[in-house]
């Protein structure tokens, strides 16, 4: 008689304990985390340098230059002025580029690589539901992205404010790179880049195509927000007659042109000013009596920032919903391990 080895009852089979997602996520993406922290620290240091010593040196150099009053022989610290401009341009470009950098990373690694290599499927087989897996993929990176981007954006705004009215060539608030790099809109755009990368990674499930698509998609959404930006808050209108000339000054221009005697708005021919006979004839032919300019003054800085940020966050919420829908349609939303042991 052959003895039969006892087998364990099915009821004693327990699924593997769920891994600690936060620790696992940090370990899996440690190189990216180190790069991000290093980038934020380096950029923060550069912005502190810009808003402190560089601004003071450049302001002092401009005082020296203005004291010359146009003299042919003038001694002033020109390198300090150039150094300020170079560092300001470099740091501003770096801050504006952060959303695209986040999108590239999220598209290349955060979800697509795990889907491509099967790591995600292995995780789902360990009693971790796809929904929980995706939530961890979104929540922890989003916290780090918002914290890091928020810090450098705040420092950039402080650095720009330090040079206001002290440096003759300081950028106006309406300069778009300055506008984006100094407000919460860039934080929302970085969050947008993260979510776009996650969604594209779920759709492509391959790293390289997801990387390129994420950057292109983020650029497209950025273009939409940028195009809509001047219309997100009511503008103010300046009107001048022909003798006064077209309105000018700083601000974000929404629309401008000429006014006819009936109040109609027409494009400005920009023929070189009404002082020239041919130009006066052109304006007379158009029945132009003055100029108009719809624009946003400095007082609209924060309303534009906040409304554009709210719009971007709304797009982020839609994309997050889409990511969960895509995941649920492809997996059913339940852990594979649970379906086999239950």
């Amino acid at each position: 008689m052959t003895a039969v080895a006892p087998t364990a009852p099915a009821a004693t089979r327990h699924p593997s304990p769920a891994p600690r997602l936060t620790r696992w996520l940090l370990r899996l993406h440690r190189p990216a985390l180190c790069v991000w922290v290093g980038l934020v620290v380096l950029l923060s240091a550069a912005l502190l340098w810009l808003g402190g010593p560089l601004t003071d040196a450049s302001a002092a150099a401009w005082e020296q230059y203005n004291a010359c009053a146009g003299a042919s022989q003038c001694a002033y610290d020109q390198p300090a002025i150039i150094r300020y401009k170079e560092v300001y341009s470099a740091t501003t470009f770096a801050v504006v580029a952060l959303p695209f950098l986040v999108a590239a990373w999220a598209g290349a690694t955060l979800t697509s690589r795990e889907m491509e290599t099967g790591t995600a499927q292995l995780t789902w087989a360990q009693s971790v539901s796809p929904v929980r897996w995706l939530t961890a993929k979104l929540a922890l990176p989003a916290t780090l992205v918002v914290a890091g981007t928020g810090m450098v954006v705040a420092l950039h705004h402080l650095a720009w404010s330090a040079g206001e009215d002290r440096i003759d060539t300081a950028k106006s608030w309406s300069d778009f790179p300055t506008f984006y790099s100094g407000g919460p809109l860039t934080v929302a755009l970085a969050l947008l880049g993260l979510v776009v990368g996650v969604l594209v990674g779920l759709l492509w499930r391959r790293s390289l195509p997801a990387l390129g698509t994420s950057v292109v998609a983020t650029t497209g959404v950025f273009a939409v927000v940028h195009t809509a930006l001047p219309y997100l808050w009511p503008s103010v209108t300046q009107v001048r007659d022909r003798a006064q000339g077209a309105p000018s000054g700083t601000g974000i221009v929404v629309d401008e042109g000429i006014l006819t005697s009936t109040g109609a708005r027409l494009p400005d021919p920009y023929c070189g000013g009404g002082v020239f006979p041919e130009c006066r004839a052109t304006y007379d032919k158009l029945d132009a009596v003055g100029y108009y300019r719809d624009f946003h003054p400095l007082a609209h800085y924060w309303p534009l920032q906040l409304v554009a940020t709210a719009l971007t966050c709304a797009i982020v919420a839609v994309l997050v919903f889409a990511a969960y829908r895509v995941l649920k349609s492809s997996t059913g939303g339940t852990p594979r391990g649970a379906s086999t042991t239950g």
Side-chain angles (χ1 to χ4, degrees):
M1 184 175 181
T2 303
V4 179
T7 57
T12 60
R13 297 176 184 172
H14 298 291
S16 301
R20 296 180 178 179
L21 282 179
T22 301
R23 181 182 301 177
W24 163 74
L25 192 59
L26 289 174
R27 181 177 300 176
L28 186 64
H29 295 282
R30 184 183 299 168
L33 176 63
C34 293
V35 171
W36 176 252
V37 172
L39 179 62
V40 170
V41 171
L42 182 63
L43 195 50
S44 298
L47 288 168
L48 289 172
W49 185 39
L50 175 69
L54 286 186
T55 297
D56 294 339
S58 182
W62 275 110
E63 289 181 0
Q64 296 168 356
Y65 177 81
N66 292 328
C68 295
S72 56
Q73 297 294 330
C74 178
Y76 65 100
D77 191 2
Q78 187 180 32
I81 295 176
I82 296 175
R83 194 179 307 116
Y84 172 87
K85 292 179 64 177
E86 291 177 344
V87 174
Y88 184 90
S89 298
T91 52
T92 301
F93 173 79
V95 174
V96 173
L98 285 180
F100 305 99
L101 183 63
V102 172
W105 168 73
T109 66
L110 195 55
T111 54
S112 60
R113 179 172 293 178
E114 290 193 38
M115 302 288 284
E116 186 178 28
T117 59
T119 306
Q121 291 82 348
L122 178 63
T123 305
W124 301 340
Q126 299 180 34
S127 299
V128 175
S129 71
V131 171
R132 186 182 168 203
W133 171 83
L134 180 57
T135 302
K137 288 287 182 180
L138 287 170
L140 183 58
T143 302
L144 297 174
V145 166
V146 169
T149 311
M151 177 182 292
V152 296
V153 162
L155 290 175
H156 189 283
H157 189 82
L158 291 175
W160 170 77
S161 301
E164 195 176 14
D165 299 327
R166 298 176 61 197
I167 297 175
D168 291 19
T169 55
K171 294 290 186 182
S172 165
W173 72 273
S174 56
D175 173 66
F176 277 115
T178 298
F179 179 85
Y180 282 106
S181 57
L185 177 55
T186 294
V187 181
L189 288 171
L191 204 55
L192 173 75
L194 171 68
V195 177
V196 167
V198 169
L199 176 59
V200 170
L202 291 174
L203 291 170
W204 270 108
R205 300 188 172 203
R206 288 187 296 162
S207 298
L208 190 58
L211 186 154
T213 307
S214 299
V215 175
V216 172
T218 302
T219 304
V221 179
F222 180 89
V224 171
V225 173
H226 179 73
T227 303
L229 179 67
Y231 306 98
L232 296 178
W233 194 256
S235 59
V236 298
T237 301
Q238 280 182 316
V239 176
R240 299 272 182 85
D241 58 34
R242 285 179 57 179
Q244 293 174 314
S248 60
T250 60
I252 296 177
V253 177
V254 180
D255 190 19
E256 58 185 356
I258 59 175
L259 290 171
T260 68
S261 60
T262 61
R265 293 184 167 194
L266 296 175
D268 194 334
Y270 297 112
C271 60
V275 294
F276 302 107
E278 293 182 357
C279 187
R280 284 201 301 270
T282 301
Y283 281 99
D284 291 340
K285 186 177 180 180
L286 294 172
D287 189 27
V289 296
Y291 303 88
Y292 75 94
R293 179 173 181 254
D294 299 332
F295 74 108
H296 293 288
L298 177 59
H300 292 186
Y301 176 83
W302 285 112
L304 286 173
Q305 281 277 358
L306 296 177
V307 175
T309 301
L311 172 65
T312 306
C313 288
I315 298 174
V316 168
V318 172
L319 294 177
V320 169
F321 176 77
Y324 278 104
R325 294 296 298 175
V326 169
L327 184 66
K328 187 176 181 180
S329 65
S330 61
T331 65
T334 56
R336 296 183 178 182
S339 64
T340 59
T341 59

